[in-house]
Amino acid sequence: MPVNNNHYAPHLYNPAAHAVAPLAHNTQATAHTAQARAPGAMAPGHHTVRIHGQPVTTRPLNSSGFCSAFSDGRSRQIQQRARLAINPAHAERIRTESDALARHAGVDLERISSMDKFTIESTHALLDQRSAAMAAHLPPEQKKSLAAALEHYRAAHAGDFVMMNIAAMGYQDLTHYLTSRNDKFRDPEEIQEFLHQFASDFFLYPSSDDAVDEEEHERNANAVIDQLRTRIPDTLAGPVSSLMQFIDTAPRLSGVPLMRGQSGIGHDGVFEGDRIVSALLNGENLRFNGFCSTSGDYEIAENFATQQQEHSMGEPIYTIDLTTNSIKDECLRRDALRALENNPEGATSLLFMLKTEGAAGVSVTALGQALNDDPAEHMTDVESEILLTSGHYVQPEQLIRMEQGYVIAGTLRNGNEPPVASHPGEVN
């Protein structure tokens, strides 16, 4: 079934026709001051959280715990449908219509790729204005902490970005996080090895050219390890808390399309794309436990999805609609699951097309310029990034299977607060 263009495209938003609510703290929003986790807590991403006020148990989809899956009524319906018997001849007949399936998927992909947030200039401009206005009204100390958070978040290396996600999940320090991941990290030598690998992966070690001799070079390298060990409590915890609380009060986005490109390979180098896609195909929702980076530009999102690969996502194969009870979509859903089992690397690149519903987001570019006394263009400004805080989740609706990945269309909601009715295409 083709993607419903009226469903995923934003309705025209006329600022003159829809009153914009004045800036105010949202009393419904959850304050994201990192809550301490007790020793012996479950693995990151495997816990009970409140989604729209209701307790929900999530399970991790990667070893980092940065994203989790959870079920709801619709996913249970899909799982029940999976037990229904389908005539093998009918299923085979559907699969043989590969040319027609690919053509329909190509139409779906064209509609998604053309749904650029920037086609609604008034909405984009309003989001920029709101983000900048919020920052301008902050007390000096809070503005300083927020500027520090943004500086760490947009650092040239991704080491601080990973650490900030760990802090956003509520962990007090790296040791606390690692021992929750795996008991082996109760051994100090294992933590030392992790820190060494982390510093190597993100090119944090100083060059030997900066030292007069080997002894000084070793001291410099050890200093990097020591700083990493306490970086969350010493440097990042305060700014992360400020950034999360700021985004909690951000403009709400509804009906505005956002894109997110994501590699199937996680920050820790472990392949996870097959687990994410398998959960989505089974109707589960995808929850972001840390910061959620999105863009309004399809090409930028696609670049993020494929940046670790030597190839593009290739051509579309077929579309799976999770919102219907059709035999065709159920056959294709099962076919995609079998393909993942046989070839997990088929989910190497993931591209999300997200229809927002009450999402809380800020324009990173506008925020950076508002917080900087001398606002020069930052290297990440071209990404047109909209940043959301932890607790947002995706309810999948359609998946387009590509030759080298999946395009996922769904609704992005803020699970930290009760659902709020809002005008489609509106920033409020």
Side-chain angles (χ1 to χ4, degrees):
M1 175 179 170
V3 176
N4 184 331
N5 198 31
N6 291 327
H7 182 58
Y8 286 100
H11 296 266
L12 292 178
Y13 173 60
N14 181 354
H18 296 282
V20 178
L23 290 173
H25 288 288
N26 186 345
T27 57
Q28 298 286 359
T30 302
H32 277 99
T33 48
Q35 297 180 359
R37 298 179 185 273
M42 286 189 284
H46 185 188
H47 46 251
T48 298
V49 297
R50 288 197 171 272
I51 297 177
H52 303 310
Q54 301 299 315
V56 174
T57 300
T58 66
R59 63 180 184 88
L61 292 176
N62 46 23
S63 56
S64 68
F66 290 171
C67 62
S68 300
F70 68 92
S71 297
D72 58 12
R74 198 195 61 174
S75 53
R76 285 186 284 272
Q77 289 177 356
I78 291 175
Q79 291 155 19
Q80 289 175 357
R81 197 160 66 225
R83 295 192 286 269
L84 296 176
I86 295 178
N87 187 317
H90 186 59
E92 182 60 29
R93 187 164 59 252
I94 290 174
R95 287 193 293 269
T96 59
E97 298 172 351
S98 56
D99 289 345
L101 292 171
R103 283 196 300 273
H104 284 298
V107 172
D108 293 343
L109 184 63
E110 176 61 26
R111 287 176 177 172
I112 289 176
S113 62
S114 64
M115 292 175 195
D116 191 327
K117 180 178 85 66
F118 288 46
T119 58
I120 307 181
E121 295 181 0
S122 58
T123 303
H124 175 58
L126 184 58
L127 179 59
D128 282 353
Q129 292 167 11
R130 279 295 192 85
S131 299
M134 288 174 63
H137 287 83
L138 293 175
E141 281 303 311
Q142 190 176 352
K143 185 180 293 188
K144 180 179 178 182
S145 182
L146 194 59
L150 209 61
E151 182 179 349
H152 293 303
Y153 177 81
R154 301 205 293 182
H157 62 81
D160 273 352
F161 172 75
V162 174
M163 291 277 195
M164 290 176 75
N165 274 288
I166 293 172
M169 291 168 63
Y171 291 96
Q172 298 168 313
D173 55 43
L174 193 59
T175 300
H176 189 200
Y177 168 73
L178 291 175
T179 53
S180 295
R181 272 182 59 168
N182 195 312
D183 281 341
K184 75 175 185 179
F185 289 113
R186 299 188 185 281
D187 182 350
E189 292 186 4
E190 290 288 348
I191 291 182
Q192 189 75 5
E193 176 59 30
F194 177 92
L195 292 171
H196 168 68
Q197 191 62 50
F198 189 94
S200 298
D201 290 345
F202 293 108
F203 306 102
L204 302 179
Y205 281 131
S207 168
S208 58
D209 295 339
D210 298 333
V212 296
D213 54 32
E214 183 63 30
E215 185 176 339
E216 183 180 357
H217 177 59
E218 185 174 347
R219 284 199 306 270
N220 292 341
N222 288 335
V224 169
I225 295 294
D226 291 340
Q227 290 171 3
L228 283 177
R229 195 185 305 275
T230 61
R231 188 154 183 78
I232 291 176
D234 289 353
T235 305
L236 299 177
V240 165
S241 179
S242 293
L243 181 58
M244 296 185 78
Q245 291 184 41
F246 181 81
I247 299 177
D248 269 340
T249 63
R252 274 18 183 189
L253 311 175
S254 291
V256 178
L258 295 178
M259 282 75 168
R260 173 180 169 85
Q262 181 173 332
S263 170
I265 303 172
H267 291 294
D268 51 8
V270 177
F271 189 77
E272 59 193 33
D274 58 330
R275 283 177 283 172
I276 293 174
V277 173
S278 178
L280 295 172
L281 285 170
N282 282 306
E284 292 184 276
N285 302 288
L286 177 65
R287 183 181 192 267
F288 299 103
N289 299 320
F291 291 103
C292 178
S293 173
T294 66
S295 175
D297 188 284
Y298 180 88
E299 291 184 0
I300 290 174
E302 185 179 34
N303 181 59
F304 272 100
T306 60
Q307 62 183 346
Q308 296 189 34
Q309 321 309 325
E310 297 179 354
H311 46 69
S312 67
M313 297 181 73
E315 296 300 317
I317 299 175
Y318 52 67
T319 298
I320 305 154
D321 195 328
L322 299 176
T323 67
T324 74
N325 291 319
S326 75
I327 297 296
K328 184 195 79 171
D329 285 298
E330 178 58 21
C331 287
L332 296 177
R333 190 188 71 83
R334 296 182 189 185
D335 185 71
L337 286 170
R338 282 192 297 270
L340 278 179
E341 291 178 5
N342 296 330
N343 178 31
E345 284 72 22
T348 296
S349 300
L350 309 178
L351 178 58
F352 291 86
M353 160 57 195
L354 305 172
K355 181 193 64 175
T356 53
E357 188 175 294
V362 295
S363 165
V364 172
T365 298
L367 183 59
Q369 292 174 350
L371 293 172
N372 197 330
D373 294 332
D374 184 20
E377 183 174 328
H378 192 273
M379 63 180 180
T380 63
D381 286 347
V382 296
E383 297 172 7
S384 305
E385 181 178 3
I386 307 302
L387 183 63
L388 300 95
T389 192
S390 65
H392 285 77
Y393 69 94
V394 176
Q395 184 178 59
E397 294 166 13
Q398 292 171 326
L399 289 88
I400 301 176
R401 183 184 170 194
M402 307 290 290
E403 290 176 327
Q404 301 291 341
Y406 280 81
V407 175
I408 298 111
T411 300
L412 178 70
R413 296 186 176 93
N414 182 1
N416 298 317
E417 55 187 18
V420 178
S422 56
H423 297 287
E426 185 174 356
V427 179
N428 55 32

